[in-house]
């Protein structure tokens, strides 16, 4: 059962909350073979030693390619030397090709974003006047006016007005969004287009540092830094390379002593070294990291660093807003509950009248429920002459109307009780009991009261209900199987929060949450050695987003939230945090699976090359030639060819990622060893044997 932290402030459950649009747009196909051809020039450019040295394993392959090339040139009649040289160069090229393909997809999106950048003319506010200046002349703090048809000249916050904005250039979503001042939907992005109305924008970024500029740099990979896990794996691969290098070097004196010097030429030793070091994972490591960030981009999530993607894979605590994430969003009126002695129709009539001036979604749902359930037609404010309308505000937390000698009010329990008592009335104990019952059931109670000739009194309660999204319990159960604790954050009172938490199936909840409460919760979890992820869109979420290991800011949110987070969800879909965690885990699993496959490959290639090298000097070693390879030259060449081709074969898997299934770490390790460890052992035996059979058909080899 979920548990709650201690409440820290009075209930705010009656304040309506807004929501972002829901989108599930996914990018294009994960792998297109034509990209191999398009990326070939970039792969060739990456042969620069200054670039290759960043990957120790592939740098050794490059050096080996150069060495065998020199030896082949010195002995141009040695077909075996030329064959080994060609396939070593192909191995190096294929490794670069994997990284180039991964980067190429980001560059394609960057080109699309560049097209969205336009040199705009801004209408800068100077005192009471406006002046037209190039968008590049704008500075932080400048105020600019944008009307229908204008391109917003820079990133900023709306400080005046409300407008419909087309953000398709950034999000790819054609549906316009609303941007307005004074809320969590105030941020606008340079390059987007105003479709209606008029807004005044305060510029918050310098030219060249806009959100689109940052997106271009990130999707191109220019800002991608190696993550700690990636650095650690590179160190491991470099260590293995050094170990195998020393082992191969010592083979030469052993061969001379055994009288097998002819079988251990420098070309053969180079081929052996390339086959034994973990070239497969070394070649694909960068591609896996880039593809992990690219998978987020395809889901319209912009990761500010690869570290954030990896952290998502290790997250153990997930903080989610209730409204819009766990529930559908706007609470809906579900029932009118009158106090004893009050007809239900009278309560419905008063509830509808008091809601006519309430333009919140909750207020409109009260009007609709009275119409649908009690046959009361939907009246308009203009139909009631001499009526005094009381609009809903966050300060009063109630709305109402004064008409025909009656004062009708509807709102939060505390506000209505205080209003009744101010007029000499007394809120009945029954009304308090009804509100407690609704709150304990997960609903939000609103009291309806009237002050007329009979005095001030409570008529009954409106039951507002939060609707939990379909499938949320199953998704949280899936996260639980991943070992992730889910915490619901809400401004609701503890009774309401507890009921929603139990219905949704979260592990814990934080009720009446303030920014300080969120920060304290994150720090407590991190103090226990856990990684924490959370979503947010408001300025009050910025401290917690900055503190969290994975902070996902909504694109519809404020500039402060987007600056604080290390990811931005361009679709502003809070539930996407669950997908981000899955993508992070998929990245880590893909890297682990291909590392397992690569090391297992090396074991199999050992049985192909070593027996072929020393079978002449030590005939008993021929028993290790379990593949029955036709000749020493064919065995060595087959292993080198397979070593190169397996890189290309695994490029789609590196880009797409290994499918993630929720399971324990022990079970996942057994699965990786069973699938990729066993597969890495078996695949070379089959592949090398097939290549050997094909090579044996060529004259001079079989």
């Amino acid at each position: 059962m979920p548990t709650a932290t201690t409440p820290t402030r009075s209930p705010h459950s009656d304040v309506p909350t807004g929501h972002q649009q829901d989108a599930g747009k996914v990018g294009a196909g994960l792998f297109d073979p034509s990209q191999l051809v398009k990326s070939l020039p970039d792969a060739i450019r990456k042969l620069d030693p200054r670039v290759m040295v960043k990957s120790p394993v592939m740098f050794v392959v490059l050096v080996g390619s150069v060495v065998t090339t020199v030896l082949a040139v010195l002995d141009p009649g040695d077909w075996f030397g030329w064959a080994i040289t060609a396939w070593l160069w192909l191995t190096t090229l294929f490794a670069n090709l994997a990284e180039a393909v991964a980067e190429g997809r980001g560059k394609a999106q960057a080109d699309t974003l560049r097209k969205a950048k336009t040199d705009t003319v801004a209408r800068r506010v100077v005192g009471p006047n406006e002046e037209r200046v190039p968008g590049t002349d704008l500075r932080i703090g400048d105020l600019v006016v944008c009307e229908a048809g204008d391109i917003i000249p820079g990133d900023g916050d709306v400080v005046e007005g409300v407008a419909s904005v087309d953000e398709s250039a950034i999000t790819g979503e054609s549906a316009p969004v609303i941007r307005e001042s004074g809320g969590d939907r105030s941020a606008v992005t340079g390059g987007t287009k105003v479709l209606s109305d008029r807004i005044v924008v305060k510029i918050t970024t310098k030219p060249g540092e806009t959100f689109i500029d940052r997106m271009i740099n990130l999707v191109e990979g220019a800002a991608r830094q190696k993550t700690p896990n990636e650095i650690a794996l590179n160190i491991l691969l470099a260590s293995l390379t050094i170990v195998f290098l020393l082992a191969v070097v010592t083979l030469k004196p052993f061969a001379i002593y055994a009288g097998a010097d002819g079988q251990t030429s420098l070309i053969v030793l180079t081929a052996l070294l390339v086959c034994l070091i973990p070239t497969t994972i070394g070649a694909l490591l960068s591609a896996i990291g880039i593809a992990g960030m690219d998978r987020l981009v395809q889901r319209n999530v912009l990761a500010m660093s690869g570290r954030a993607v990896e952290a998502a894979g290790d997250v153990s605590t997930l903080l989610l807003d209730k409204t819009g994430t766990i529930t559908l969003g706007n609470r809906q009126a579900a029932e009118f509950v009158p106090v004893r002695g009050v007809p239900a129709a009278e309560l419905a009539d008063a509830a509808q009248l008091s809601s006519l001036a309430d333009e919140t979604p909750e207020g409109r749902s009260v009007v609709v429920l009275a119409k649908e359930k009690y046959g009361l037609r939907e009246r308009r404010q203009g139909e009631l002459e001499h009526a005094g309308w009381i609009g809903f505000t966050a300060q009063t937390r109630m709305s109402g109307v004064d008409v025909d000698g009656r004062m009708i009010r509807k709102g939060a329990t505390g506000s209505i009780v205080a209003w009744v008592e101010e007029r000499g009335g007394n809120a009945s104990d029954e009304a308090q009991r009804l509100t407690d019952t609704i709150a304990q059931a997960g609903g939000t109670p609103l009291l309806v009261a009237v002050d007329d000739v009979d005095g001030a009194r409570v008529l009954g309660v409106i039951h507002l209900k939060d609707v939990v999204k379909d499938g949320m319990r199953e998704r949280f159960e899936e996260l639980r199987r991943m070992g992730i604790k889910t915490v619901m954050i809400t401004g609701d009172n503890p009774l309401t929060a507890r009921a929603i938490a139990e219905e949704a199936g979260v592990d814990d909840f934080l009720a009446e949450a303030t920014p300080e409460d969120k920060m304290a919760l994150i720090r407590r979890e991190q103090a226990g050695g856990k990684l924490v992820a959370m979503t947010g869109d408001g300025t009050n979420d910025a401290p917690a987003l900055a503190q969290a290991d994975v902070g996902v800011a909504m694109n519809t949110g404020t500039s402060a939230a987007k600056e604080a987070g290390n990811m931005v969800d361009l679709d502003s879909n809070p539930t996407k945090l669950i997908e981000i965690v899955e993508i992070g885990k998929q990245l880590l699993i893909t890297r682990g699976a291909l590392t397992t496959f690569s090391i297992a490959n090396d074991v199999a290639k050992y049985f192909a090359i070593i027996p072929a090298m020393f079978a002449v000097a030590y005939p008993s070693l021929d028993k290790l030639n379990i593949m029955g390879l036709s000749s020493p030259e064919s065995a060595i060449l087959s292993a080198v060819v397979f070593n190169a081709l397996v890189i290309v074969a695994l490029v789609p898997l590196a880009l797409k990622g290994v499918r993630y299934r929720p399971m324990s770490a022990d079970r996942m390790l057994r699965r990786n060893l069973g699938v990729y460890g066993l597969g890495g052992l078996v695949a070379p035996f089959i592949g090398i044997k097939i290549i050997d059979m094909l090579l044996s058909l060529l004259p001079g080899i079989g």
Side-chain angles (χ1 to χ4, degrees), residues 330-583:
N330 300 320
R331 293 160 294 183
Q332 302 293 310
E335 185 182 9
F336 297 131
V337 186
V339 297
R340 189 179 298 107
V342 176
E346 181 183 351
L347 171 60
D349 181 68
Q352 188 187 64
L353 282 171
S354 63
S355 299
L356 293 179
D358 183 359
E359 295 297 332
T360 66
E362 292 90 339
R364 302 311 304 163
S365 73
V366 173
V367 175
V368 172
L369 179 64
K371 175 185 175 183
E372 293 179 348
K373 192 169 183 179
Y374 294 93
L376 298 175
R377 68 185 184 87
E378 188 173 346
R379 291 165 286 188
R380 304 292 180 185
Q381 294 184 34
E383 298 178 24
L384 301 174
E385 295 182 4
H386 311 299
W389 299 101
I390 311 298
F392 179 90
T393 67
Q395 289 73 35
T396 64
R397 296 198 297 165
M398 63 181 179
S399 62
V401 61
D402 298 338
V403 63
D404 299 332
R406 292 187 300 164
M407 301 174 68
I408 305 173
R409 297 292 184 270
K410 172 216 71 181
T413 301
S415 299
I416 295 299
V417 168
W419 182 84
V420 170
E421 291 177 347
E422 283 175 5
R423 280 152 184 76
N426 184 29
S428 65
D429 292 337
E430 184 186 3
Q432 186 63 51
R433 181 181 59 79
L434 291 174
T435 58
D436 289 345
T437 301
I438 291 173
Q440 289 171 1
T444 301
L446 296 180
L447 286 183
V448 179
V450 63
D451 186 4
D452 55 15
V453 293
D454 295 326
R457 64 194 186 281
V458 174
L459 297 178
V461 186
I462 301 172
H463 181 180
L464 293 181
K465 191 173 182 181
D466 264 316
V467 181
V468 176
K469 292 180 178 179
D470 289 339
M472 290 308 296
R473 176 174 284 275
E474 290 74 17
R475 298 198 78 174
F476 290 138
E477 182 60 37
E478 185 177 336
L479 287 169
R480 199 170 291 112
R481 289 196 297 270
M482 295 182 195
I484 297 175
K485 173 185 175 184
T486 52
V487 181
M488 182 185 78
I489 300 176
T490 177
D492 285 347
N493 62 67
L495 291 176
T496 301
R498 181 181 297 277
I500 293 294
E502 289 179 351
E503 183 180 352
V506 295
D507 300 310
D508 200 352
F509 67 90
L510 180 66
E512 300 173 351
T514 65
E516 293 78 12
D517 296 334
K518 298 175 188 177
M519 286 280 289
L521 175 59
I522 292 172
R523 285 172 175 164
R524 282 200 304 271
E525 294 291 321
Q526 290 173 332
K530 299 176 181 177
L531 296 186
V532 180
M534 79 159 287
T535 61
D537 59 1
T539 301
N540 64 339
D541 292 324
L545 286 170
Q547 180 68 36
D549 300 284
V550 180
V552 184
M554 302 295 103
N555 190 41
T556 55
T558 62
S559 298
K562 290 194 283 188
E563 288 292 332
N566 49 26
M567 292 188 187
V568 177
D569 178 11
L570 302 180
D571 290 333
S572 299
N573 176 8
T575 60
K576 201 176 289 183
L577 185 57
I578 299 174
E579 293 181 46
I580 292 171
V581 170
E582 291 176 349
I583 290 172

Side-chain angles (χ1 to χ4, degrees), residues 627-645:
M627 285 184 272
L629 302 179
S630 56
S631 67
E633 291 83 2
S634 177
I636 296 169
L637 184 55
S638 297
V640 172
V641 172
F642 175 83
N643 194 60
L645 294 180

Side-chain angles (χ1 to χ4, degrees), residues 53-74:
V53 76
K54 297 177 182 178
S55 174
V57 175
M58 298 317 301
F59 182 71
V60 169
V61 179
L62 176 66
V63 172
S65 303
V66 173
V67 169
T68 56
T69 301
V70 172
L71 294 174
V73 169
L74 294 177

Side-chain angles (χ1 to χ4, degrees), residues 163-188:
S164 176
V165 178
D166 177 8
E167 294 188 340
S168 58
I170 297 174
T171 66
E173 180 60 51
S174 59
V177 295
I178 300 299
R179 292 290 177 265
E180 57 189 345
S181 62
D184 292 342
R185 299 185 182 185
S186 60
V188 291

